[in-house]
Amino acid sequence: MKSASLLFGLLLLLCVLVVQAEEPIAIKFSHVVAADTPKGKAAERFAQLAKEKTQGRVEVTVYPNSTLYKDKEEMEALQLGAVQMLAPSLAKFGPLGVKEFEVFDLPYIFDGYDQLHQVTEGPIGKELLGKLADKGVLGLAFWDNGFKVMSANKPLKGPKDFRGLKMRIQSSKVLDAQMRALGANPQVMAFSEVYQALQTGVVDGTENPPSNLYTQKMFEVQKFVTNSEHGYLGYAVIVNKAFWDGLPADIREALDEAMAEATVYANEIAKQENIDALAKVKASGKSEIIELTPEQKTEWKKRLAPVHQQMEDRVGKDLIQSIYQATGSDISKL
Ligand code: LMR
């Protein structure tokens, strides 16, 4: 009798161990934008690739649209290990203590995606991701979104049109300086709160790539959208370092592969997604799209160029110079 119950106990233990061994490793991937955006789609693609490449040993669950955490909370949650993966915009790394990422927010620092990729796909990008390590965070990749438009309930054709407007920004000192250079009052606000703030007049306007403006329906509460492409918004995909380092080596390798493929996908779709989103905003008839003349664009650039020098202490003069060198473009010479 005694030996039978011992055997039963052993069998039970074995079953528990087998079930535990088969339980997939769970990765929670939280983000703040809609699923139907470049980041949302790339996150889903990563989840699918991760499952395939690990034969189901890893299960990535994507939580879009701030359903799990809002901007500030998600960074804390990652460091605490409550989520394992995020892709915050590069403008949101200041609170983590990595101010250098705000270099991507400098107005007109990239003239198009090719120039951007010289940085994100080159040694400067690698070095920037490396700065995260001592924050308990590992930077895996840069994912593109796009170049920003400005929106408000009045036409924003030139810098003078911004005077006194309350403009929502992400938590970046560079964006703060940019809005102040235009004569506007910048207001830092979580992404999930922007639609309502625009609707109720808590803020007058905002900036974002068209994919975000469209999928959050911000265009429904903004009468005018200027296709200014005055700055870039993109992401760093990050993981909790202790979690990542603790994964079995073969799993990590498979996930690295999945990330590399998801990154190619993200950066292939981003440009077209934004072109399509702007076309949909236009087709809605709810916002008027303003295209700037070359003269107007020059006026914007002249007004915003001094922000580069002004932000040298914040993001690093050498970093700015190395980006000018990598892209071959230097707006401060205007
Ligand atoms: C914003 O807050 O405007 C963006 O960072 C949202 C995003 O993740 O694209």
Side-chain angles (χ1 to χ4, degrees):
M1 188 65 203
K2 214 172 167 194
S3 61
S5 64
L6 192 67
L7 192 67
F8 180 71
L10 277 173
L11 273 173
L12 203 66
L13 183 68
L14 200 66
C15 287
V16 169
L17 287 176
V18 168
V19 169
Q20 268 182 354
E22 281 175 357
E23 191 108 317
I25 299 167
I27 296 184
K28 288 186 188 166
F29 188 157
S30 168
H31 70 80
V32 299
V33 297
D36 188 20
T37 54
K39 175 163 66 179
K41 288 182 176 181
E44 286 298 347
R45 176 64 66 98
F46 172 72
Q48 177 199 332
L49 288 165
K51 190 170 195 162
E52 277 167 27
K53 287 182 189 290
T54 62
Q55 283 90 38
R57 285 168 69 203
V58 171
E59 181 96 59
V60 180
T61 311
V62 182
Y63 298 87
N65 252 329
S66 311
T67 43
L68 207 52
Y69 296 108
K70 296 201 265 181
D71 290 329
K72 224 171 85 196
E73 304 156 0
E74 68 173 16
M75 280 292 196
E76 288 157 13
L78 185 83
Q79 285 183 296
L80 291 171
V83 284
Q84 291 71 36
M85 192 173 259
L86 306 174
S89 98
L90 302 165
K92 293 177 184 167
F93 284 78
L96 198 67
V98 195
K99 311 182 294 279
E100 293 88 342
F101 277 47
E102 292 178 10
V103 79
F104 288 95
D105 300 328
L106 285 171
Y108 296 109
I109 191 158
F110 306 111
D111 189 6
Y113 286 92
D114 288 346
Q115 287 193 3
L116 165 76
H117 293 157
Q118 295 299 319
V119 175
T120 51
E121 293 171 8
I124 304 173
K126 203 165 177 196
E127 202 184 312
L128 282 170
L129 290 181
K131 289 190 188 295
L132 297 168
D134 60 352
K135 311 289 173 197
V137 169
L138 208 63
L140 298 183
F142 288 104
W143 282 359
D144 290 353
N145 190 347
F147 291 86
K148 292 176 286 187
V149 297
M150 290 279 197
S151 66
N153 282 319
K154 62 180 276 201
L156 302 170
K157 294 185 178 164
K160 67 175 189 330
D161 299 320
F162 285 83
R163 200 162 306 140
L165 289 188
K166 279 179 279 168
M167 297 294 285
R168 180 268 169 172
I169 55 162
Q170 308 171 78
S171 63
S172 156
K173 290 284 184 282
V174 170
L175 296 179
D176 184 280
Q178 168 201 270
M179 289 302 186
R180 287 184 198 284
L182 290 168
N185 296 323
Q187 309 245 329
V188 175
M189 187 180 289
F191 185 66
S192 54
E193 283 156 23
V194 182
Y195 175 87
Q196 209 183 359
L198 291 170
Q199 191 186 33
T200 55
V202 168
V203 288
D204 302 305
T206 188
E207 57 165 10
N208 238 298
S211 57
N212 281 342
L213 183 88
Y214 178 68
T215 53
Q216 296 296 321
K217 301 194 189 329
M218 292 176 197
F219 68 99
E220 291 183 356
V221 288
Q222 295 278 268
K223 292 198 175 72
F224 297 92
V225 173
T226 304
N227 188 16
S228 44
E229 299 185 309
H230 60 279
Y232 171 72
L233 190 155
Y235 311 105
V237 186
I238 55 177
V239 285
N240 178 294
K241 190 172 181 305
F243 166 78
W244 200 257
D245 290 345
L247 290 172
D250 61 328
I251 293 277
R252 225 176 21 232
E253 210 173 290
L255 292 180
D256 280 339
E257 255 181 48
M259 183 49 62
E261 284 180 34
T263 299
V264 169
Y265 171 74
N267 298 352
E268 261 170 17
I269 64 167
K271 186 175 179 184
Q272 194 58 42
E273 291 274 324
N274 279 298
I275 292 171
D276 293 349
L278 195 61
K280 286 185 207 159
V281 172
K282 194 170 180 175
S284 77
K286 298 220 159 116
S287 303
E288 185 183 319
I289 312 284
I290 299 166
E291 295 291 347
L292 298 175
T293 64
E295 293 74 28
Q296 284 169 329
K297 204 153 197 181
T298 305
E299 202 192 335
W300 281 60
K301 285 186 178 173
K302 283 201 166 136
R303 176 65 74 96
L304 291 171
V307 174
H308 287 218
Q309 202 186 354
Q310 216 179 312
M311 287 290 109
E312 280 173 355
D313 285 348
R314 174 82 183 161
V315 297
K317 187 175 179 175
D318 291 349
L319 177 59
I320 300 177
Q321 292 300 328
S322 67
I323 292 182
Y324 292 159
Q325 229 163 31
T327 60
S329 144
D330 174 358
I331 194 202
S332 69
K333 298 249 163 66
L334 259 187

